[in-house]
Amino acid sequence: MADLQHDLRPAAAAEEFDDLTQQYPDEGVVAAEPYEPVSDPDDAPLTRAHAILAAHPVADGYNGLPWALKRLSYYDLEDGESTVGTDVPRLRRGHVGALFWSLHLPEGLDGDRAVGATLEQLDLAKSIVRTCDEGLRPACTAGQVADARNCGRVAVLLGPAGASAVGDSLGTLRQLHLLGLRALTLTGVSWASDAGLTRFGEEVVREMNRLGVIADLSGAPEQTVRRVLSLSRAPVLFSRSAARAIRPHPVNLPDDLLAELGAAKGLCLVPLTAEQTGPTVRDVADHLDHIRAVAGAQCVGLSGTYDSGSAHPQELGDVSCYPRLIAELLRRGWEEGDVALLTWGNVQRALRGADFTARAAQQRRAPSTATISELDG
């Protein structure tokens, strides 16, 4: 990224989510402030966990609420909604400061149907945020996420969506970005497969870098993962991947890929699901311990996966339960600085990196007009 930094010139951000760049202008990318302890080491772990989370809330990397609400004729997220695992009161009890809303679709949707269904989910997500403006605020950049938190709101970022939402059109990718999309999962399409990225797939990644759309590699084939890691100028993330050495789930990552992710300054968001991490809060903590040891403290985060149809470990049944997980980590000797990175700092770094890369790339290249037929034949 150093070569981009040297050429960076001031430019207006390209992001738009209901004209957010005009309402809440990003102040630019700045280095993280040094961490200062916010709790008393002599306090009980759960009390310390609440104190740390009050200063460094959870940035949840994957939440399926929009799709879960499609089946409800009425809901009230502001006062509390027992039919789902996510509502504003529980987000506040869990000290959640930001969350990514998944736009993934049921299997079997592709082509124009996938594009249309993704647009409908984007529309629904924006409608939900508008009706919960006392508790939620839309965001596209790290600055807007911080602004929402400072105003006592939970920041909502849109994505990840499946790559099928783009179809084979870079123009569709740009329009989804203008509507607020900030992460795209590179699986389930011809240009990102077991054979890796095609030439068109590589152009998609370059255009994502230019726009500020983060590449999500959870579930992507290994060849695709390695090519994106070498190609992307912006940080990548795995939105729902734990450690395969602890639990051999196909979406979990082996140690060699975790090490490569750490070297690339990417981000592994550990899902709170019984299937991928295990049935207890201690199992989740085992994954976090392992990934921190292999990839580094700056490359691990949290992905609740609430309201996505997954079963959750004991004591982690909804978004209010994050303090219990943090208390378990403190019992294991985690330093408060590493906890602050896990919950908030690492996702903020990834968002800043994506925004920084986009601003620099927009000075170097125009929107790509390449087509899949031109590049892949």
Side-chain angles (χ1 to χ4, degrees):
M1 191 180 292
D3 60 329
L4 296 179
Q5 186 173 11
H6 294 157
D7 290 343
L8 181 63
R9 298 189 298 275
E15 292 85 351
E16 291 184 28
F17 180 174
D18 293 340
D19 295 327
L20 277 174
T21 50
Q22 283 73 42
Q23 295 179 35
Y24 312 114
D26 198 349
E27 295 297 328
V29 179
V30 296
E33 295 181 0
Y35 176 78
E36 296 183 4
V38 295
S39 72
D40 186 343
D42 294 329
D43 287 343
L46 188 58
T47 301
R48 290 182 63 202
H50 280 285
I52 295 169
L53 288 171
H56 305 278
V58 172
D60 185 332
Y62 192 98
N63 183 287
L65 184 63
W67 189 266
L69 293 178
K70 284 175 66 70
R71 60 182 170 82
L72 302 180
S73 58
Y74 173 81
Y75 51 84
D76 188 345
L77 297 179
E78 292 278 12
D79 290 335
E81 181 54 63
S82 62
T83 58
V84 292
T86 306
D87 57 30
V88 172
R90 280 178 287 179
L91 287 168
R92 287 176 171 155
R93 290 200 300 272
H95 300 283
V96 177
L99 70 169
F100 283 82
W101 273 357
S102 165
L103 303 176
H104 282 158
L105 304 172
E107 292 185 9
L109 288 180
D110 54 18
D112 291 343
R113 294 175 63 204
V115 176
T118 302
L119 290 173
E120 290 178 359
Q121 282 211 81
L122 280 164
D123 180 67
L124 174 61
K126 292 185 176 187
S127 176
I128 294 168
V129 173
R130 282 194 295 269
T131 59
C132 297
D133 59 351
E134 291 299 312
L136 305 177
R137 174 174 284 187
C140 290
T141 68
Q144 293 159 9
V145 168
D147 182 64
R149 173 196 164 198
N150 292 337
C151 293
R153 308 294 195 271
V154 179
V156 174
L157 298 112
L158 300 182
S164 59
V166 174
D168 298 330
S169 168
L170 294 174
T172 300
L173 171 64
R174 285 189 286 273
Q175 292 307 306
L176 290 172
H177 169 265
L178 288 172
L179 291 172
L181 181 68
R182 285 303 176 269
L184 188 72
T185 306
L186 301 184
T187 60
V189 287
S190 63
W191 42 266
S193 64
D194 291 340
L197 293 178
T198 66
R199 291 178 63 199
F200 180 75
E202 293 178 350
E203 191 69 2
V204 171
V205 172
R206 294 187 188 98
E207 190 66 8
M208 290 170 66
N209 281 181
R210 195 190 71 82
L211 293 170
V213 177
I214 299 174
D216 169 27
L217 300 175
S218 274
E222 184 173 328
Q223 292 301 317
T224 294
V225 170
R226 294 187 186 279
R227 182 59 183 135
V228 174
L229 284 175
S230 66
L231 179 65
S232 179
R233 298 276 187 167
V236 304
L237 62 81
F238 289 80
S239 66
R240 295 164 298 150
S241 293
R244 195 174 296 177
I246 304 295
R247 198 169 183 88
H249 189 280
V251 181
N252 291 347
L253 299 181
D255 283 358
D256 60 336
L257 276 183
L258 283 172
E260 287 190 36
L261 182 67
K265 305 301 181 185
L267 187 55
C268 180
L269 303 176
V270 175
L272 309 188
T273 67
E275 180 182 5
Q276 284 184 252
T277 55
T280 71
V281 66
R282 292 181 296 278
D283 293 316
V284 177
D286 288 343
H287 286 270
L288 296 172
D289 280 341
H290 185 83
I291 295 171
R292 182 180 65 156
V294 175
Q298 293 187 341
C299 295
V300 61
L302 297 172
S303 182
T305 65
Y306 293 110
D307 294 308
S308 63
S310 300
H312 298 283
Q314 299 168 19
E315 300 184 76
L316 299 175
D318 60 48
V319 294
S320 70
C321 299
Y322 280 109
R324 298 174 185 172
L325 175 59
I326 301 309
E328 174 64 23
L329 297 178
L330 293 173
R331 293 186 191 102
R332 294 177 178 223
W334 277 55
E335 297 290 339
E336 290 189 12
D338 283 359
V339 173
L341 288 175
L342 170 77
T343 59
W344 184 256
N346 289 338
V347 169
Q348 282 288 85
R349 175 183 60 81
L351 289 170
R352 287 192 185 99
D355 184 54
F356 178 87
T357 302
R359 293 185 184 196
Q362 287 162 19
Q363 304 301 309
R364 292 186 164 193
R365 81 184 244 143
S368 175
T369 60
T371 64
I372 192 168
S373 59
E374 292 171 348
L375 296 182
D376 293 349

